[in-house]
Amino acid sequence: MLFNKAFAEHATPWQLYFQDTATPIMEGIVNLHNDLIFFLIIIAIFVLWMLIRTLMIHTRANNPVASNVTHGTAIEIVWTVTPSLILMMVAIPSFALLYSMDEMVDPVITLKIIGHQWYWSYEYSDYLANQKLNKSINYDSYMIPEEDLELGQLRLLEVDNRVLLPVRSHIRAVVTAADVLHSWAVPSLGVKIDAVPGRLNQIGMFIKREGVFYGQCSEICGVNHGFMPIVIEAVNLKNYIDWINTKSLV
């Protein structure tokens, strides 16, 4: 473990906003969220103003004679066209973000992820741990029980075997499950993908900075659903190569 808690990205008590971003995709998600909140605030203020004005004007004291007008063509056109224009403004950046999330840019590393009840298995398919047996690097990752935690480690989030990935490299994660539905999710990386038995799903990652990023299974998968965390440790390329060489010699 090359990093301690000070470099970790994880949920904190009473947290109301996103974790710090570490990938371009997560940056896009946060920026889209902020843009949508701007529109929502404007709409909420306008609707609140309309309700207050309606309550003030349409009272017996201010308007003793009720109007006979039941509808107006102009106002109906306005309140139909305006939301449509707002949706079009929102759709353009959201579609661009959705397509970029599915885009796979010449990955240099393929990480295979398998969900089990209740732990994760990881396989680095590009490297051989044993040349004679033609076996790739693979290992299981279990949550560390609370009684075995060391000082500074996070309850329900630490694992015995972290996933090491290099920064500034295009990575392809191939996700599946061995038994039931799981979901591999790491908020700081903007990753959340279902692990489906008998099916391979894939997602791309490009981690921009070093650090430790925590996630958890986000699909209710059984009694121990809350006890299969994910820990990604992003390191520089040299440390990653050294780690791969160490794993290959085991």
Side-chain angles (χ1 to χ4, degrees), residues 46-114:
F46 175 74
V47 171
L48 181 62
W49 177 81
M50 289 288 292
L51 289 173
I52 293 173
R53 291 291 296 169
T54 301
L55 292 173
M56 292 174 61
I57 294 173
H58 295 283
T59 61
R60 184 179 295 272
N62 296 331
N63 192 18
V65 180
S67 174
N68 294 325
V69 177
T70 57
H71 66 277
T73 303
I75 190 63
E76 289 190 9
I77 291 175
V78 170
W79 71 42
T80 301
V81 173
T82 303
S84 301
L85 295 176
I86 295 174
L87 288 176
M88 290 178 62
M89 294 174 62
V90 171
I92 294 173
S94 64
F95 285 157
L97 181 60
L98 285 172
Y99 279 110
S100 64
M101 291 172 70
D102 286 335
E103 187 177 8
M104 198 65 60
V105 183
D106 296 329
V108 296
I109 298 168
T110 298
L111 174 68
K112 185 175 182 181
I113 304 163
I114 305 173

Side-chain angles (χ1 to χ4, degrees), residues 23-170:
T23 62
I25 292 298
M26 190 58 192
E27 290 177 356
I29 293 173
V30 172
N31 291 333
L32 179 62
H33 167 270
N34 294 339
D35 293 340
L36 292 179
I37 289 297
F38 171 78
F39 284 110
L40 288 175
I41 291 174
I42 299 299
I43 293 170
I45 292 173
F46 175 74
V47 171
L48 181 62
W49 177 81
M50 289 288 292
L51 289 173
I52 293 173
R53 291 291 296 169
T54 301
L55 292 173
M56 292 174 61
I57 294 173
H58 295 283
T59 61
R60 184 179 295 272
N62 296 331
N63 192 18
V65 180
S67 174
N68 294 325
V69 177
T70 57
H71 66 277
T73 303
I75 190 63
E76 289 190 9
I77 291 175
V78 170
W79 71 42
T80 301
V81 173
T82 303
S84 301
L85 295 176
I86 295 174
L87 288 176
M88 290 178 62
M89 294 174 62
V90 171
I92 294 173
S94 64
F95 285 157
L97 181 60
L98 285 172
Y99 279 110
S100 64
M101 291 172 70
D102 286 335
E103 187 177 8
M104 198 65 60
V105 183
D106 296 329
V108 296
I109 298 168
T110 298
L111 174 68
K112 185 175 182 181
I113 304 163
I114 305 173
H116 303 270
Q117 288 181 315
W118 289 269
Y119 63 96
W120 297 99
S121 294
Y122 299 100
E123 179 180 321
Y124 293 78
S125 306
D126 302 306
Y127 317 103
L128 294 179
N130 189 312
Q131 297 286 347
K132 295 182 180 179
L133 298 179
N134 197 30
K135 292 180 62 177
S136 58
I137 298 174
N138 60 84
Y139 56 87
D140 298 329
S141 180
Y142 291 88
M143 185 192 77
I144 298 178
E146 185 174 356
E147 58 271 15
D148 296 333
L149 290 175
E150 297 178 1
L151 184 64
Q153 290 186 325
L154 301 171
R155 176 178 174 271
L156 301 181
L157 289 178
E158 297 290 351
V159 297
D160 55 355
N161 290 309
R162 293 178 172 179
V163 179
L164 245 73
L165 294 175
V167 297
R168 302 180 188 89
S169 301
H170 290 285

Side-chain angles (χ1 to χ4, degrees), residues 7-31:
F7 294 89
E9 299 295 345
H10 57 87
T12 57
W14 299 98
Q15 181 176 348
L16 298 178
Y17 198 63
F18 298 99
Q19 298 177 23
D20 290 341
T21 61
T23 62
I25 292 298
M26 190 58 192
E27 290 177 356
I29 293 173
V30 172
N31 291 333

Side-chain angles (χ1 to χ4, degrees), residues 150-207:
E150 297 178 1
L151 184 64
Q153 290 186 325
L154 301 171
R155 176 178 174 271
L156 301 181
L157 289 178
E158 297 290 351
V159 297
D160 55 355
N161 290 309
R162 293 178 172 179
V163 179
L164 245 73
L165 294 175
V167 297
R168 302 180 188 89
S169 301
H170 290 285
I171 302 163
R172 173 174 56 193
V174 180
V175 186
T176 187
D179 34 50
V180 299
L181 290 174
H182 300 277
S183 182
W184 199 75
V186 184
S188 291
L189 305 184
V191 174
K192 185 176 182 180
I193 184 169
D194 287 339
V196 184
R199 176 172 177 171
L200 290 176
N201 292 328
Q202 68 174 9
I203 192 168
M205 293 183 289
F206 184 86
I207 306 175

